Amino acid sequence: MINKIVAIQGNHPSKLNPKTDTSVFLANEIQKKNYRIFYYDPKNLSIINSKVIAEGFFIKFNYSNKKFYKILKKQKLNLIRCKYVLIRQDPPFNLEYISSTFILETLKNKVKIINDPTAIRNISEKLYSAKYQRFMPNTIFTQNIMEIKNFFKKNKHVILKPIHSFSGNDIHLLNKFKLKFIQRLIKKHNYIMCQKYLPKISKGDKRVFLIDGRICGAISRVPKKGSYLSNMSKGATAKKTQLTKFEKNISKLIAKDLKGDQIFFAGIDFIDQKLNGDINVTSPTGLKTLFDISKVNLAKTFWKCLKA
């Protein structure tokens, strides 16, 4: 019999904000079904004698306590003992992230891993959107300076995003081509995504939650005054929202594609009815925020779809 254990590969709980964190929200929900939570950092993942071993700790989450978690027992765990493993660490999608997917891949035929480690390795969160460019603002993916210069001539106001960054980090709005600045950005990040700026971001974007190939909910995130970043970690405010027919159709298409590519849980974003090109599959967020503003509990949906 498989133990009722959920392992979470993530950043240390002391670095998490329980008011907004999706990993804590998912863990808190499955605890109600008498699952035990084992937590470990990806750097503490190993293959020993052909076994996938994680060094971490069993943990209990409790929203009503000032310290929202209690470490129960530190130990090494053979992950074959788990029913589920959640890959929940923050990007960047770097070599450590990639290496952890190779290690977990050896286990995935015996333990359910969300999202599938092969799938998240194959899907670049920004480059995956290239096949949906007809639904996006003008966008190019490049590290070619002349291509970027030409893009500025056509679009004037441009958002620059590193391909492998996350949470609104290293995103810049430029109103003119700045050669030295862009060269430094490329030197640091290699490929970048250049996208025509959409002024209506000031009214908020829409984050759509996709679970098991279906649209399950959405929130709007309004940047703080003077900002163009809609990430909650950058001070945005969440509001209830409804999807337009157009947004629903695009979301259904992407949800179907992602399920076909073995992605169970994802988040996609719209600005002014245009897909912004971030297909969040490595560690999607926002479920706790949705619950707080609407009482819709997608953690229940998540585990129900997994038949936990």
Side-chain angles (χ1 to χ4, degrees):
M1 179 181 170
I2 297 173
N3 279 321
K4 291 181 80 169
I5 298 173
V6 173
I8 299 178
Q9 176 175 295
N11 309 95
H12 194 277
S14 62
K15 297 177 181 176
L16 305 180
N17 179 357
K19 292 179 181 177
T20 57
D21 191 82
T22 294
S23 304
V24 177
F25 190 59
L26 290 169
N28 185 68
E29 187 62 38
I30 199 64
Q31 281 178 168
K32 297 173 187 175
K33 296 183 180 290
N34 298 317
Y35 278 80
R36 293 191 294 156
I37 309 298
F38 182 79
Y39 217 98
Y40 69 93
D41 189 290
K43 69 175 183 283
N44 294 324
L45 188 64
S46 308
I47 297 177
I48 310 290
N49 298 326
S50 301
K51 296 173 182 175
V52 178
I53 305 294
E55 187 171 349
F57 42 82
F58 281 96
I59 188 170
K60 184 89 172 174
F61 291 102
N62 189 335
Y63 281 120
S64 59
N65 291 346
K66 188 174 180 182
K67 187 175 181 183
F68 65 95
Y69 67 91
K70 182 181 180 183
I71 293 174
L72 306 175
K73 184 184 179 185
K74 294 182 179 181
Q75 71 173 77
K76 293 178 182 176
L77 184 71
N78 183 349
L79 293 187
I80 196 78
R81 291 182 54 197
C82 301
K83 182 82 178 281
Y84 304 102
V85 174
L86 305 190
I87 301 176
R88 292 293 309 170
Q89 79 263 31
D90 283 336
F93 191 76
N94 56 16
L95 279 173
E96 181 181 73
Y97 207 119
I98 291 168
S99 297
S100 73
T101 66
F102 279 115
I103 293 173
L104 290 175
E105 201 170 44
T106 66
L107 190 70
K108 74 173 194 176
N109 292 330
K110 298 164 186 166
V111 176
K112 183 72 175 174
I113 303 172
I114 303 102
N115 280 316
D116 181 287
T118 314
I120 58 173
R121 191 172 67 244
N122 288 346
I123 292 176
S124 163
E125 294 203 321
K126 291 180 174 65
L127 287 170
Y128 188 82
S129 67
K131 58 183 170 178
Y132 308 116
Q133 282 194 263
R134 64 193 183 278
F135 307 127
M136 291 165 61
N138 288 346
T139 304
I140 61 171
F141 307 89
T142 188
Q143 52 180 319
N144 184 298
I145 288 290
M146 288 310 298
E147 293 291 355
I148 297 170
K149 191 173 186 179
N150 290 336
F151 190 80
F152 266 87
K153 283 180 184 174
K154 291 176 192 167
N155 296 285
K156 311 303 181 199
H157 306 292
V158 175
I159 291 283
L160 304 177
K161 302 181 187 180
I163 294 291
H164 296 301
S165 195
F166 69 104
S167 292
N169 298 319
D170 301 304
I171 294 178
H172 302 279
L173 169 61
L174 296 187
N175 297 322
K176 63 179 181 179
F177 180 77
K178 295 181 180 178
L179 177 62
K180 287 186 177 178
F181 178 85
I182 294 168
Q183 284 175 328
R184 285 198 302 271
L185 197 67
I186 289 170
K187 186 176 181 181
K188 183 179 178 183
H189 296 286
N190 304 121
Y191 276 92
I192 60 173
M193 177 180 179
C194 305
Q195 191 168 78
K196 182 180 180 179
Y197 173 63
L198 298 176
K200 285 192 178 178
I201 185 58
S202 64
K203 306 290 184 189
D205 72 355
K206 292 182 184 179
R207 159 59 58 94
V208 185
F209 304 107
L210 308 177
I211 298 175
D212 200 24
R214 292 186 300 118
I215 302 168
C216 291
I219 57 174
S220 174
R221 304 173 302 178
V222 182
K224 65 183 181 183
K225 191 173 177 65
S227 175
Y228 50 86
L229 299 176
S230 59
N231 310 78
M232 300 298 291
S233 60
K234 302 298 182 189
T237 304
K239 296 194 313 184
K240 292 181 182 180
T241 192
Q242 297 290 325
L243 297 179
T244 65
K245 185 177 179 182
F246 181 70
E247 290 164 342
K248 283 180 183 175
N249 288 340
I250 297 168
S251 298
K252 284 177 185 175
L253 170 68
I254 297 172
K256 182 181 177 184
D257 287 350
L258 286 172
K259 184 169 182 177
D261 286 331
Q262 307 305 310
I263 293 293
F264 176 79
F265 177 34
I268 62 173
D269 303 323
F270 291 91
I271 302 169
D272 193 15
Q273 295 213 77
K274 290 186 180 293
L275 186 71
N276 86 338
D278 289 305
I279 313 289
N280 298 272
V281 298
T282 53
S283 184
T285 62
L287 298 193
K288 176 69 163 59
T289 304
L290 174 70
F291 177 73
D292 287 341
I293 63 176
S294 69
K295 297 306 173 207
V296 174
N297 188 341
L298 290 190
K300 284 185 175 178
T301 306
F302 181 98
W303 293 114
K304 187 177 180 182
C305 289
L306 286 173
K307 299 178 173 59

